[in-house]
Amino acid sequence: MTRDFQGACTEKMSNLAFQYNKPESGMKGSRIDDLLSCISRAYRHISLTGLTPSALAYTITRITGELNRPVLVVVPSGKDIQAYSERLDFFLGSDTNGRTTCLEDSLFRFPSIMDGSLLFSTSHVRGIKERLESLYTILTSPKGKIFVVSSQALLEKAIPSKVLLENTEYIVEGEEIDRDELVKRLVSRGYYVTTLVEEPGDASVRGGILDIFPPLYNNPVRIELFGDTVETIRTFNPATQKSVHRLEDAIILPAKEVILSEDKKDTVEKKLFDSFRQLNPKTSSQHSWLNKIREWSHFTGIERLLSFFYETPGKITDFLPSDLIIVYADPGEHTRAITEYWEKAQKDFEKKVYEEEWTPPPETFLSRPEDIYEDLKGWQILENDYTSDSGFTSQESTRLHFETEDNQDVVDAFRAHEKRERFLEPLVNKLNLLKTEGISSFLVCSTVEQARRFAELLESYDLRTEYTKDPFAYLSRESSTVRVLHGHLDKGFSWPTEGFAIITEEEILGTKPRRRPKKAAAGAFINSFKDLSSGDLVVHIDHGIGIYRGID
């Protein structure tokens, strides 16, 4: 059954463009300009071969940069979202430090949040925020932006686009608002009211100060009221409570994809009873779920009940603009992942039914794979197959072959190298070879210090080398000097027809484990100056840490 189902999905993927005409195809050693031309001439289905994952990421950034069109990159898993995001971020060269909102970013993530194994993890909270940011950006300002989605997330239903926009608050400095009514709306949209705002989805109220940590913002937003008038809007650091940026306005998205409006309560309960009658779970299971609904508050995993709250739940395809380009980073793995996710959801559901435990049927939170494939036919599609052996290439596709090479020869040369006193000799030999072929070389290091060190070491081999602070996106591809720069890229590649090659520190020294930065602890707010004694350390909203000396 699994093989038949996967075969049907494979056939649908390869048939996506049968109705479109194709130009002459099969160009050897194609350039990115050839691809840009095919896209501009509206060829609906383009098969790419020969692009390594990093080379594909570079190609995608060229598409968005030169055509100013949005791109949806479909990757097989959540881990692939992280890997491709880092590659894309490297080639985009955008500096997000100091930005107030992610609306200025070029790269967005759309992960899975329905997988039961993720429901109680920190990635679940982060995933909800990233999804809402992506959906809002696709709706309002998608031009030239990249959205990376996992195969699983592509199946998952979402908040309807109309509901998302209707439940977005736009607050402007100087306007009048009803604080209590606003807080009620925030709670219905998934915000958790607490004493101290630390995480996305938190909100707190202290007199005329309303703190909210909404999607889109890198820091929480503080709204100060004078009576009912919005006096100031600022972002602040949740650890130090110090102000970061003054804002003229703020966009407050929902914190969850399920909106708890009172007029839906009876409908949701009725749908739950209907499901109980069909599945006949044991009484304790029914009571457990009924209690969750009757409390009418958000609980972990409530997104699995999307079809109970919305007559027609949204799908990511409902949000996509017509000029968007879909890129399948690994079509074969995508089909495997999407099939396995659907079948696992079915098996988990059948297991719960057998145990007489109620759980939402897969159809309440997932679309069927064949329905998604059908929906995606309307967009321009690029399929990448580095090894060209997945069997996905359609006979009606425009085919472009790119001559990119990975750096396995460099990795193997370092493994076989025994002269520790001339450790970088394999790298120097590779760089000299590239230079004789007229190919510009870049060396990417994980830290600034390491990049400077490599530049110095390569100079000792009489190799013309330069450390540069500039991101890759701003560097010329035509230079006989080896440029060494800081960035995060797992694997490099050589692309002779584009005239450059990239080698990474990871390919030379191997993979290093990354340390997660420790989260700073946040302090508590005081209710009155009477709570302070002279000499106490305090954190001022605008000026940061200080010593309280009393009030004159």
Side-chain angles (χ1 to χ4, degrees):
M1 175 178 153
T2 303
R3 219 176 290 129
D4 292 343
F5 181 74
Q6 187 159 346
C9 292
T10 302
E11 183 180 354
K12 281 184 176 289
M13 281 288 287
S14 62
N15 284 340
L16 283 175
F18 275 0
Q19 68 269 39
Y20 302 107
N21 294 324
K22 63 169 184 174
E24 293 184 11
S25 57
M27 290 180 281
K28 273 282 186 182
S30 298
R31 294 177 58 88
I32 291 178
D33 286 344
D34 300 322
L35 174 59
L36 296 176
S37 175
C38 290
I39 294 172
S40 298
R41 292 160 69 185
Y43 298 138
R44 304 297 294 179
H45 191 274
I46 305 171
S47 295
L48 316 175
T49 58
L51 287 175
T52 69
S54 293
L56 175 64
Y58 171 70
T59 303
I60 292 168
T61 62
R62 286 280 302 275
I63 292 171
T64 56
E66 298 190 30
L67 300 182
N68 195 32
R69 288 177 58 181
V71 173
L72 184 76
V73 184
V74 182
V75 299
S77 69
K79 287 182 179 179
D80 293 311
I81 287 182
Q82 180 63 27
Y84 264 94
S85 294
E86 288 193 357
R87 293 169 193 146
L88 290 161
D89 199 43
F90 172 78
F91 290 114
L92 287 167
S94 52
D95 183 9
T96 58
N97 291 329
R99 288 187 179 174
T100 305
T101 77
C102 67
L103 285 173
E104 304 167 64
D105 295 349
S106 300
L107 179 63
F108 294 81
R109 300 169 181 83
F110 192 86
S112 164
I113 60 167
M114 308 288 188
D115 188 338
S117 64
L118 300 175
L119 289 182
F120 296 95
S121 66
T122 55
S123 62
H124 179 74
V125 177
R126 184 176 65 249
I128 293 173
K129 178 178 184 287
E130 290 176 338
R131 285 166 64 99
L132 288 164
E133 290 170 344
S134 293
L135 293 175
Y136 183 79
T137 306
I138 293 173
L139 275 178
T140 59
S141 55
K143 289 291 185 184
K145 295 182 178 176
I146 302 170
F147 304 88
V148 187
V149 58
S150 68
S151 300
Q152 295 87 346
L154 202 60
L155 281 191
E156 293 174 354
K157 295 182 180 180
I159 183 173
S161 57
K162 183 180 178 182
V163 175
L164 175 59
L165 294 177
E166 288 175 346
N167 286 274
T168 296
E169 296 281 346
Y170 182 61
I171 298 175
V172 181
E173 195 175 275
E175 75 170 331
E176 290 190 356
I177 62 173
D178 186 322
R179 188 203 66 174
D180 294 338
E181 284 300 316
L182 174 58
V183 172
K184 283 182 183 178
R185 292 196 297 273
L186 292 177
V187 170
S188 73
R189 295 164 186 170
Y191 284 89
Y192 174 69
V193 178
T194 180
T195 56
L196 192 64
V197 169
E198 297 181 273
E199 303 288 346
D202 285 351
S204 74
V205 186
R206 300 179 314 284
I209 296 177
L210 176 60
D211 289 345
I212 312 168
F213 201 157
L216 297 181
Y217 291 86
N218 300 321
N219 284 301
V221 174
R222 174 162 292 156
I223 301 169
E224 296 184 43
L225 301 172
F226 184 76
D228 291 333
T229 303
V230 177
E231 191 170 44
T232 61
I233 305 173
R234 314 168 188 263
T235 59
F236 66 94
N237 185 312
T240 65
Q241 297 294 308
K242 185 177 179 180
S243 293
V244 179
H245 288 105
R246 177 83 175 259
L247 307 176
E248 294 181 355
D249 52 30
I251 300 169
I252 312 298
L253 297 185
K256 296 282 194 297
E257 293 187 44
V258 171
I259 309 299
L260 296 177
S261 54
E262 285 294 330
D263 59 338
K264 291 180 182 175
K265 195 170 183 179
D266 292 341
T267 303
V268 173
E269 195 169 314
K270 180 181 181 303
K271 287 183 178 180
L272 194 59
F273 273 118
D274 289 344
S275 183
F276 288 163
R277 280 192 290 271
Q278 290 176 1
L279 301 174
N280 196 29
K282 55 191 176 187
T283 305
S284 59
S285 180
Q286 294 185 36
H287 285 167
S288 174
W289 282 95
L290 274 173
N291 289 338
K292 286 182 180 181
I293 296 302
R294 286 171 175 169
E295 286 176 8
W296 208 238
S297 61
H298 289 85
F299 53 87
T300 301
I302 194 173
E303 294 83 8
R304 287 184 159 219
L305 298 177
L306 274 168
S307 293
F308 287 23
F309 287 88
Y310 305 120
E311 193 65 37
T312 307
K315 297 180 287 187
I316 190 172
T317 50
D318 298 336
F319 290 77
L320 304 183
S322 59
D323 65 339
L324 179 128
I325 300 165
I326 298 174
V327 177
Y328 289 98
D330 189 333
E333 281 300 301
H334 164 69
T335 293
R336 181 196 59 76
I338 208 170
T339 304
E340 286 184 0
Y341 188 41
W342 173 259
E343 294 187 345
K344 180 180 181 299
Q346 290 281 12
K347 288 177 182 177
D348 291 346
F349 172 67
E350 291 167 4
K351 183 174 181 290
K352 288 290 186 180
V353 171
Y354 178 77
E355 294 170 350
E356 297 184 351
E357 294 283 348
W358 189 84
T359 192
E363 293 81 0
T364 62
F365 59 93
L366 298 179
S367 298
R368 293 179 177 275
E370 55 266 33
D371 294 338
I372 288 295
Y373 288 132
E374 189 68 28
D375 290 343
L376 293 174
K377 283 184 178 181
W379 282 274
Q380 200 168 17
I381 291 175
L382 311 184
E383 286 178 1
N384 178 63
D385 185 5
Y386 175 49
T387 59
S388 69
D389 63 359
S390 71
F392 269 86
T393 304
S394 162
Q395 294 301 313
E396 298 299 318
S397 296
T398 301
R399 292 176 179 78
L400 296 177
H401 179 74
F402 299 88
E403 296 285 357
T404 70
E405 299 173 4
D406 60 29
N407 290 328
Q408 190 58 45
D409 58 334
V410 177
V411 176
D412 293 341
F414 270 98
R415 287 176 180 169
H417 187 56
E418 296 179 355
K419 296 180 180 178
R420 310 312 296 175
E421 68 280 2
R422 291 185 61 81
F423 175 69
L424 293 182
E425 201 168 69
L427 174 62
V428 173
N429 292 339
K430 176 70 173 182
L431 293 172
N432 280 326
L433 176 61
L434 292 169
K435 184 177 179 180
T436 61
E437 294 175 350
I439 298 173
S440 298
S441 300
F442 299 86
L443 177 60
V444 181
C445 299
S446 59
T447 66
V448 171
E449 293 77 12
Q450 191 76 311
R452 292 182 185 276
R453 179 63 176 152
F454 262 101
E456 291 174 4
L457 290 172
L458 289 173
E459 285 280 5
S460 68
Y461 285 83
D462 296 326
L463 196 66
R464 190 177 175 187
T465 311
E466 175 191 29
Y467 163 73
T468 176
K469 296 180 181 178
D470 294 330
F472 179 83
Y474 302 114
L475 297 173
S476 168
R477 307 293 178 267
E478 299 177 2
S479 176
S480 58
T481 301
V482 176
R483 265 76 57 82
V484 186
L485 64 152
H486 163 238
H488 296 291
L489 186 66
D490 55 346
K491 291 180 175 17
F493 57 90
S494 177
W495 199 337
T497 54
E498 292 294 325
F500 72 94
I502 300 174
I503 300 172
T504 69
E505 175 192 336
E506 194 169 304
E507 292 170 317
I508 300 168
L509 303 179
T511 305
K512 292 181 182 179
R514 294 189 187 176
R515 296 179 182 176
R516 292 184 178 180
K518 291 183 179 179
K519 182 180 175 182
F525 281 98
I526 61 166
N527 295 317
S528 168
F529 286 110
K530 294 178 181 178
D531 297 334
L532 293 174
S533 300
S534 181
D536 283 349
L537 291 174
V538 296
V539 179
H540 189 276
I541 180 176
D542 292 317
H543 306 296
I545 296 174
I547 299 175
Y548 179 68
R549 296 299 188 192
I551 298 176
D552 294 331

